[in-house]
Amino acid sequence: MIYIYEVNAVMKLEFGTAKMMQSIAGFGTSSCWWSPFCKDPDIQDEIASVLYSDKGLNLNIYRYNVGAGYDPDNCRISNPWRRSESFYKYDKKSGSGTYDFSADKTAVDFMKKCLDEGNIDTLIFFANSPHWSLTSTGQSSGSLLPSTCNLPKMNYIKYADYFLTISEHFLNQGFPLKYISPVNEPQWKWGGDHVWQEGCHFESEEILELFHIFATEIRKRNLPLRLYGPESGEMGGLTEEYLTVLLSDKDISKYLEVFAYHSYHDDNNPQKRLEFKKDLLLSHPEKRFDMSEWCELPNKSHTHDFKGALITARIIGQDLIYAGARSWTSWVAVNQISLKEDGNDYSDGLISASDDFSRWYISERYYGLAHFSKYLPIGSVCLDISFFPDEKNDLNLFAFLTPSNERIIISVNESGKNEISLSGEFESMKCIESTKDFKLKTIYEGPFTQSLSIAPESITTIILK
C-alpha cells in the first residue's frame, strides 16, 4: 500500500489490488536527419553508448529514416538537417535510376554501432516522403498545394518497390529489420508556400490503397516484414478514422502488426489519453499500439531547463499508463543547437549538437526518458493503481511490475515537496532521483522503509523487492 500525503488529503494506492495492464515492448528514438552529420567515429561511439548501451539509456527501438533524397535544382528545403541522402540515384535525362547502397554511409555506420551495443530488438525503417523522383513536384517537401498528396497513384507500386528493395537489401546484409513505415504524419498539410522538411500528405483512402499495395508486395516477396503506422501526428483528429479504414482491409490487417501514432499537442491533457485508450485500444485488443514519436511541441523548455525532463517523464508515464502504449519512442536523438533571443538553446532532441558535431551535449530531457528506459526491462507490466493527477497535473505516479517481480514506482513531481508512506511485504528498496542539481543519483538503497520524501521538481524511480 502506498500513501501520498498532500496538504489536506491522503491518497491510497495499493499494489495488492492493482490491475495488470499491457506489457512494455521497450523504448527508442530516431536517427533521422542528424546521423549523416555525425562523422567522427569516436563521437559516434560515444553517442551510440549514451543512447543504446547498458550504461546509457538502454534503448531497444531504432527508427532509421529512409531518405527521400533531393534534386539540387528543384529543392525548397534550405536546412541540410531536414533533408536526406537516398540510396536511389535518379537520372533526370534518362528518366531512370539505380541503387547505390554505399550512400548515406555515415548514418548506416552509426546504426551499425548502435546495433553492436546488443540491446536493439526492434529496427524500424520509416519515410517522411517517397523518393523525390516519384512525387508530383519532384520535391520531397510535399505538394505545391497544401493538404494534397504528393505521390501520384500511378507511382504507388513504384514506391512500394523502391521501399521494399531497400529493405530487402538490409535484410540480406543481416540487419534485424522488423517493421517498415512508409507514411508519416499524413494529416498535416506539408507542401504549400512554406516548406521546411521532408513530408507528404495522404488522405485516408490514399493510405488504404498504398498500404494494401505494400501488404501485397510483402507477401509476394515473402519478406519477414510487417507494416508499422500510419504514424498519425496526434491521438485525436483523424487517428480513429485511419485505424478503421486500415482494419477494414483483410490483407492490411494481416500485415499491420503495430498501429503507431504520435502523441503531440496534448501535453497537459491526461484525460485525452484515457479517452484514446477507451475509444481505440480497448476496442481492438488484437492490435499493438505504439507511441512512436513525441517531443515537447511547441518547445518551451530549453536544453538546460529541468522542466523539459519533468514534462518528458510525465508524458512517457501518461502515454504508457493512461493511453496504453506498448512502447514509447522520442522524436529524435539529436537535433541542432537552436539559440534563441534569450541566449538559450531550444533544440528538441535528447542531445543537442552543432552542425558538424564539434560540440554536443546531453539535454535535460534525456533524464526524463532515463528514469523509465534504464529501470523498466522489456516485458514489464503497467499497473493500474487507480491514481490520476489533479487538475494541476503537477504530481504523477506510475507503477510497474518487472519480469523479475520487482515493483517500480516512478514519481514525477512538478510541484513542492511531497511525502510518501509505503507499506507492504518488501525486503529492500532503492530510490534513484534526478533534479536540476543532480541526475540519476541513488538517494537511498537498503532495507525497505516506509517513509520517503519526494523532492520538489524531481523525478524519482523507486525499486521495491
Side-chain angles (χ1 to χ4, degrees):
M1 185 179 295
I2 308 165
Y3 299 92
I4 293 53
Y5 292 92
E6 296 189 300
V7 178
N8 291 308
V10 177
M11 291 173 285
K12 299 180 180 180
L13 310 178
E14 299 186 19
F15 274 121
T17 59
K19 178 184 177 182
M20 296 178 66
M21 300 186 291
Q22 82 280 10
S23 62
I24 296 174
F27 301 90
T29 191
S30 163
S31 66
C32 182
W33 293 330
W34 64 268
S35 56
F37 297 93
C38 185
K39 299 180 183 299
D40 187 312
D42 292 335
I43 295 176
Q44 288 180 344
D45 290 339
E46 292 177 40
I47 293 180
S49 178
V50 161
L51 297 171
Y52 284 94
S53 76
D54 294 338
K55 295 179 181 179
L57 288 178
N58 195 33
L59 301 178
N60 67 293
I61 299 172
Y62 193 102
R63 291 179 80 218
Y64 172 81
N65 177 37
V66 178
Y70 60 96
D71 175 5
D73 298 322
N74 184 31
C75 178
R76 295 193 293 158
I77 304 172
S78 58
N79 185 349
W81 275 49
R82 296 296 180 270
R83 60 191 189 216
S84 302
E85 187 176 5
S86 174
F87 299 112
Y88 186 64
K89 306 302 179 185
Y90 182 76
D91 185 280
K92 289 190 292 184
K93 291 182 179 179
S94 66
S96 62
T98 57
Y99 290 92
D100 176 9
F101 289 105
S102 67
D104 209 21
K105 183 179 184 303
T106 302
V108 173
D109 286 346
F110 180 79
M111 177 167 53
K112 290 178 181 177
K113 291 189 175 188
C114 292
L115 287 165
D116 287 344
E117 294 291 344
N119 288 322
I120 296 173
D121 66 1
T122 304
L123 178 58
I124 304 163
F125 277 14
F126 80 101
N128 293 296
S129 166
H131 190 271
W132 65 267
S133 68
L134 300 175
T135 67
S136 299
T137 60
Q139 300 174 359
S140 60
S141 53
S143 174
L144 297 180
L145 297 175
S147 300
T148 302
C149 184
N150 198 29
L151 179 67
K153 287 184 181 291
M154 65 180 181
N155 285 342
Y156 281 16
I157 293 177
K158 290 181 180 179
Y159 180 39
D161 177 72
Y162 150 86
F163 204 120
L164 293 175
T165 297
I166 292 171
S167 300
E168 195 165 11
H169 165 81
F170 281 91
L171 284 170
N172 292 337
Q173 294 296 310
F175 285 76
L177 179 58
K178 184 180 291 186
Y179 298 117
I180 58 170
S181 177
V183 170
N184 190 69
E185 297 189 343
Q187 66 265 65
W188 306 143
K189 67 176 186 177
W190 306 116
D193 294 331
H194 174 66
V195 297
W196 63 97
Q197 67 165 73
E198 297 174 321
C200 188
H201 175 87
F202 290 92
E203 295 292 331
S204 296
E205 62 270 19
E206 293 166 332
I207 300 173
L208 174 64
E209 185 173 347
L210 183 65
F211 269 56
H212 180 86
I213 289 171
F214 267 87
T216 301
E217 293 302 313
I218 290 171
R219 186 186 70 248
K220 286 181 179 178
R221 295 187 185 211
N222 194 30
L223 296 174
L225 297 173
R226 290 296 181 265
L227 289 167
Y228 192 91
E231 312 237 26
S232 176
E234 59 183 348
M235 290 181 291
L238 294 171
T239 304
E240 185 172 3
E241 179 179 318
Y242 296 151
L243 179 63
T244 301
V245 166
L246 290 173
L247 296 186
S248 70
D249 185 295
K250 292 182 180 180
D251 290 329
I252 294 174
S253 188
K254 179 180 178 181
Y255 285 93
L256 183 64
E257 187 167 295
V258 179
F259 185 83
Y261 66 95
H262 305 165
S263 62
Y264 291 117
H265 309 306
D266 285 295
D267 291 357
N268 297 301
N269 193 351
Q271 184 64 37
K272 182 67 171 288
R273 286 165 166 78
L274 286 176
E275 294 170 0
F276 175 81
K277 182 177 181 178
K278 175 179 178 291
D279 294 341
L280 273 73
L281 274 76
L282 298 182
S283 300
H284 298 279
E286 77 285 359
K287 284 297 175 188
R288 169 175 156 179
F289 288 74
D290 280 16
M291 202 307 295
S292 56
E293 189 178 303
W294 178 88
C295 69
E296 188 180 346
L297 186 68
N299 182 20
K300 297 180 181 179
S301 304
H302 61 77
T303 53
H304 295 296
D305 184 357
F306 191 68
K307 184 69 174 176
L310 291 165
I311 294 171
T312 299
R314 182 204 333 135
I315 294 299
I316 296 171
Q318 292 185 358
D319 280 342
L320 294 173
I321 300 298
Y322 302 146
R326 287 286 310 280
S327 75
W328 197 94
T329 299
S330 81
W331 151 225
V332 73
V334 186
N335 215 335
Q336 290 168 295
I337 291 174
S338 178
L339 297 178
K340 301 301 183 184
E341 291 78 8
D342 62 2
N344 289 312
D345 175 12
Y346 286 86
S347 168
D348 58 15
L350 302 174
I351 294 168
S352 193
S354 59
D355 287 1
D356 62 358
F357 278 81
S358 58
R359 180 190 174 205
W360 68 274
Y361 64 92
I362 293 172
S363 299
E364 292 287 281
R365 64 179 57 87
Y366 171 98
Y367 299 99
L369 177 52
H371 272 271
F372 289 82
S373 64
K374 289 179 70 65
Y375 307 108
L376 292 177
I378 297 169
S380 296
V381 175
C382 296
L383 298 177
D384 181 359
I385 52 175
S386 300
F387 177 88
F388 196 74
D390 63 20
E391 61 183 15
K392 293 183 292 184
N393 199 25
D394 56 9
L395 174 63
N396 279 261
L397 293 169
F398 310 109
F400 308 88
L401 173 66
T402 72
S404 59
N405 209 36
E406 296 172 338
R407 268 66 170 181
I408 307 289
I409 305 167
I410 298 176
S411 162
V412 184
N413 183 22
E414 297 178 62
S415 62
K417 183 178 179 180
N418 281 278
E419 298 292 329
I420 295 183
S421 180
L422 305 170
S423 63
E425 300 299 322
F426 302 111
E427 295 181 356
S428 66
M429 180 167 71
K430 183 176 181 179
C431 302
I432 302 101
E433 184 179 88
S434 293
T435 68
K436 65 181 179 62
D437 298 319
F438 53 81
K439 306 296 181 287
L440 302 175
K441 180 180 179 181
T442 299
I443 59 171
Y444 178 82
E445 184 171 14
F448 174 67
T449 182
Q450 291 186 328
S451 181
L452 179 67
S453 295
I454 300 297
E457 299 185 333
S458 67
I459 308 169
T460 309
T461 298
I462 306 164
I463 304 172
L464 302 170
K465 296 182 181 181

